Amino acid sequence: MGSDRFSDASLVRAATLINRRSVLRAGTVGVWGTEMVGSQSLPAAAAPSTEETERVSQRDWELLAEALSSRSTLYRPGDSGYPPLALPFNHRYAGVRPAGIVACATTRDVRAAVRWARAVGLPAVPRSGLGHNYAGYSATTGLLLNMARMKSIVSTPRPGAVSRTRTYGRMRVVHDAGTVTVGAGVTNGDLHPLLEDRGMFVPTGRCPTVGVAGLVLGGGIGFSDKMFGLTCDRLVSTTVVLADGSVVEASQDAHPDLFWGCRGGAGNNFGVNTSFTFQYERFQGDVGVYQLRWSLDSVVQVIATAQQIAVNTLDDKRFHLRVGIGTHGLTRDQIRANANVNAIGQYYGSLEELRDTLAPLLAIGTAEERARNNASVREVAPGVASVLLSATTPVQQFAAKSAVLTSRTLLTDDQIGAAADQLLDWPGSDNEDGAGFAMFALGGEINQVPPDATAFVHRNAVFILAAETSWADYDPPSVADANLHWLREFYCGIFGDTPPPHSYQNFPDPTLKDWRRAYYGANYDRLVRVNRKYDPTNFFSYPQGVGT
C-alpha cells in the first residue's frame, strides 16, 4: 500500500513494477526452496500433531500416491519440491506446514485426495495458486491441495452474439460473446493474453498472481466490475468436488443452491472447485485510463471530491475509480516524504467525457501536480490498460482490515484527516509495499443485482475500503508487532468504536468479531443451510468458515 501498491507514480512504472515484483517473488521462493531463510519474524513451523502423524502410516501415503494420475505429484516434508509449494504468498503464515501436498492435475486427482484425507482423518485445504489468502486460510497442517497445474483455458464463442454489440466512445463491445472455462489453477495474469491477443474479456481482479478461484468465490472486484459485474456475476457453472468425494456441476439448472453459494460465499466452504465457466465479452477499440497523484496536503479535498464523484457516477457503469493514501519507508523522514494521495481508474467512453467527470479532481493541487495529472488521462488498448492498472497484493508479510461503505457511511473530513495523521505515524518496515488504504468504487452492474440473488450481499455500496500494512521477512518481531498494532489504531482512528457493519470476504480479517454478518449479512443463514447440505460433517472447515 506504499508507493508501489497505492501511489503508482506513473503508468509506465506500474507496468515495470509487475515484472520486478515477479523477479523478487521468484527469488524469494527460490531461497525458500533451498531452506536458507534467515528471518527473525517468520513463525515457527506448525507440524501436524503426534496423533495425526501416528494415524497416517507410510503405507497410507503410498496409497495416496498410487491413486493419483501420472500428471499429479505427492510431496512430503523432505522432498525437494515441498518447500516452495508449502510456502503461502503471505509469509506471515509460513510456519503452517502441511503434512503432505498434492499438486493436482485433474478433478479426479482432487477427488482421490479428498477421499483419502477423509479416510485417514486429515483436513484437506485447497490452494488455487500461491496462497494469497490474507488470513492464511489456504495453509494447513493437513493435506494441501495445490491446484496450480490445473491451467486449462477453453473458450466457446456464442453463435449470433454480434447482435448484442454496443459502442462506448471508441470501444465496441460484443456482450456475452461466449463462454470460457478455466481450471482452478488459472490466475488473473493467465487470462490477460485473452484480452490482449484475442479481444476477449472476463472481469477479473487487479493482481496478476491471484487465482481466479479465490477471486470468484468471494465476489471479485476489479476495474471493469461496474461495466460487466463482479467476477462471480459472470459465472455460468462450476465443477465441485464435495466432501464425500462426489463430483457435481453447479449452475442455475443443477444444484442451484450450491451455485448460489459459490458466487460470493468464499472458498473452501462447500467443497473444492476445480473449474469455472464464465461469460466473456469481446472488445474492439480503446479505453480511457487515468492516474492522479498529490501530496498528502491535499488529502481531505481529494478524498472528499472522489467520494462525491463516485456518488454522482454510481449508476454510470462506464466509470471506474480507485482512490487511496499510502506511504513506505523506514525512517520518519522517509515515511513523511513518501506519503501521498492518489486515484487511478478506467473509463468506457470518450476522453472528453472522462475529463469532464474528473474535472473536480484535475483542478486540485499545485500547478505541477495539475499538469502531471491532466497529462495522465489518455486512451489505450484494453490489454494495455489491464497491465497499467495492475498491482500485486503486498509481498512477504502483511495484514488487512476492510469496510464496505454506503452513501451513509462515506468518510467525513474529520475521518480523512485522522487517517492522514495516522498514516504519518506508521512505524515503518523494510517492506516497500508500506501501508495505507484504498477505496474501490462500486455501483453500475454490481448494484443492479439484488442482495439475495447471489451470496455476495454488498449490493448497495459505494466503496470497498481496504486498509493494509506490511513488513519484511527479515524485520524483527517488534516491527511486525508494531505494524499490527498500527493497523488496529489506523482502522479505529477512521471508524472509532462503530465501524461499518460489512466487510469484504475476499479481504478476510482473522480478528473480526462478527465476521458472519460482516461478510455475508442476511445471506449467512442460507449459506449455512447450503454448507450443511453439501458438507454435513463440516469437513471443509477453518476459523471463519461458513457453519463454524
Side-chain angles (χ1 to χ4, degrees):
M1 277 211 171
S3 62
D4 292 335
R5 182 156 158 73
F6 274 69
S7 305
D8 300 308
S10 71
L11 291 175
V12 173
R13 180 169 178 264
T16 304
L17 281 170
I18 298 169
N19 295 330
R20 181 166 61 82
R21 289 286 179 76
S22 298
V23 173
L24 287 173
R25 188 169 300 110
T28 303
V29 172
V31 170
W32 271 84
T34 55
E35 297 187 314
M36 293 174 60
V37 171
S39 169
Q40 300 181 54
S41 57
L42 286 175
S49 68
T50 302
E51 181 182 350
E52 286 178 334
T53 303
E54 291 176 349
R55 182 169 59 244
V56 183
S57 68
Q58 179 59 34
R59 180 55 185 159
D60 288 328
W61 291 107
E62 291 171 355
L63 290 172
L64 173 58
E66 291 169 4
L68 301 174
S69 71
S70 59
R71 294 188 292 122
S72 183
T73 308
L74 171 64
Y75 297 96
R76 297 292 315 287
D79 294 340
S80 60
Y82 174 93
L85 293 180
L87 179 68
F89 187 86
N90 188 349
H91 296 179
R92 184 180 174 195
Y93 303 101
V96 182
R97 311 286 273 181
I101 303 170
V102 175
C104 301
T106 67
T107 296
R108 197 198 77 169
D109 294 323
V110 175
R111 180 185 186 189
V114 168
R115 285 183 166 181
W116 178 90
R118 185 166 187 141
V120 301
L122 284 184
V125 173
R127 179 180 293 174
S128 61
L130 297 176
H132 282 73
N133 190 284
Y134 277 46
Y137 297 145
S138 59
T140 180
T141 58
L143 185 66
L144 180 65
L145 309 181
N146 186 288
M147 318 292 278
R149 294 184 184 180
M150 302 180 73
K151 289 280 194 180
S152 63
I153 301 175
V154 178
S155 61
T156 304
R158 180 176 178 176
V162 69
S163 62
R164 288 175 296 280
T165 300
R166 291 194 63 183
T167 301
Y168 306 89
R170 295 179 60 184
M171 169 60 62
R172 180 174 174 268
V173 179
V174 180
H175 289 280
D176 297 336
T179 60
V180 58
T181 300
V182 304
V186 169
T187 65
N188 288 333
D190 293 327
L191 289 180
H192 172 74
L194 290 180
L195 175 61
E196 188 173 46
D197 302 333
R198 298 169 60 185
M200 295 166 53
F201 175 77
V202 173
T204 59
R206 189 183 180 202
C207 178
T209 57
V210 164
V212 172
L215 179 78
V216 61
L217 292 173
I221 58 175
F223 280 108
S224 293
D225 49 15
K226 289 181 66 180
M227 185 72 169
F228 302 113
L230 301 168
T231 311
C232 72
D233 295 335
R234 309 300 293 177
L235 189 66
V236 175
S237 64
T238 179
T239 303
V240 189
V241 177
L242 301 178
D244 62 2
S246 61
V247 180
V248 299
E249 188 80 12
S251 66
Q252 290 283 19
D253 300 322
H255 306 284
D257 50 352
L258 177 60
F259 182 63
W260 176 88
C262 289
R263 289 179 293 162
N268 201 21
N269 276 315
F270 316 108
V272 181
N273 299 71
T274 61
S275 73
F276 305 87
T277 298
F278 301 98
Q279 291 178 329
Y280 71 78
E281 322 294 321
R282 192 172 289 281
F283 283 10
Q284 288 181 339
D286 294 334
V287 295
V289 295
Y290 61 93
Q291 180 189 35
L292 316 178
R293 176 187 172 101
W294 304 263
S295 75
L296 205 62
D297 294 338
S298 298
V299 63
V300 173
Q301 189 178 6
V302 169
I303 300 295
T305 301
Q307 288 185 134
Q308 188 58 57
I309 291 174
V311 171
N312 294 343
T313 60
L314 189 64
D315 296 326
D316 185 350
K317 64 183 183 180
R318 301 171 300 166
F319 179 74
H320 298 77
L321 165 71
R322 190 239 58 186
V323 62
I325 64 175
T327 192
H328 67 111
L330 274 172
T331 68
R332 188 60 45 209
D333 288 344
Q334 290 173 343
I335 291 167
R336 289 183 177 274
N338 292 327
N340 67 91
V341 56
N342 50 84
I344 62 174
Q346 182 168 281
Y347 183 70
Y348 295 90
S350 70
L351 274 187
E352 292 74 16
E353 292 171 329
L354 176 55
R355 290 186 185 279
D356 286 345
T357 300
L358 294 174
L361 285 174
L362 295 174
I364 298 173
T366 66
E368 181 182 354
E369 288 172 338
R370 293 196 304 271
R372 182 182 66 235
N373 290 340
N374 272 279
S376 78
V377 183
R378 60 192 179 104
E379 286 183 328
V380 298
V384 175
S386 178
V387 173
L388 296 177
L389 297 175
S390 294
T392 65
T393 51
V395 296
Q396 299 190 42
Q397 303 192 44
F398 51 92
K401 299 179 77 67
S402 72
V404 178
L405 305 181
T406 67
S407 57
R408 286 189 252 181
T409 56
L410 294 177
L411 302 185
T412 65
D413 289 356
D414 287 344
Q415 288 175 302
I416 298 167
D421 291 341
Q422 200 78 23
L423 183 70
L424 296 178
D425 286 334
W426 181 58
S429 78
D430 262 318
N431 192 326
E432 65 178 16
D433 281 307
F437 74 63
M439 298 167 63
F440 302 88
L442 304 182
E445 289 294 323
I446 302 170
N447 292 13
Q448 296 302 308
V449 178
D452 61 352
T454 70
F456 186 90
V457 75
H458 316 299
R459 299 291 185 171
N460 66 338
V462 182
F463 286 102
I464 288 177
L465 181 147
E468 293 178 3
T469 190
S470 63
W471 58 99
D473 288 341
Y474 46 85
D475 280 327
S478 60
V479 171
D481 292 341
N483 271 264
L484 291 171
H485 175 76
W486 176 86
L487 181 62
R488 292 191 295 270
E489 294 298 310
F490 182 58
Y491 194 82
C492 184
I494 299 172
F495 297 115
D497 296 329
T498 55
H502 284 179
S503 298
Y504 182 33
Q505 52 267 44
N506 267 355
F507 298 151
D509 172 12
T511 69
L512 192 60
K513 292 182 180 178
D514 190 11
W515 57 267
R516 296 167 180 83
R517 300 301 169 185
Y519 295 154
Y520 307 115
N523 287 342
Y524 182 73
D525 294 340
R526 183 177 175 185
L527 282 168
V528 171
R529 292 195 295 272
V530 176
N531 169 266
R532 289 175 178 168
K533 177 179 178 179
Y534 290 95
D535 185 11
T537 64
N538 209 21
F539 175 70
F540 296 107
S541 178
Y542 57 98
Q544 290 185 341
V546 169
T548 302

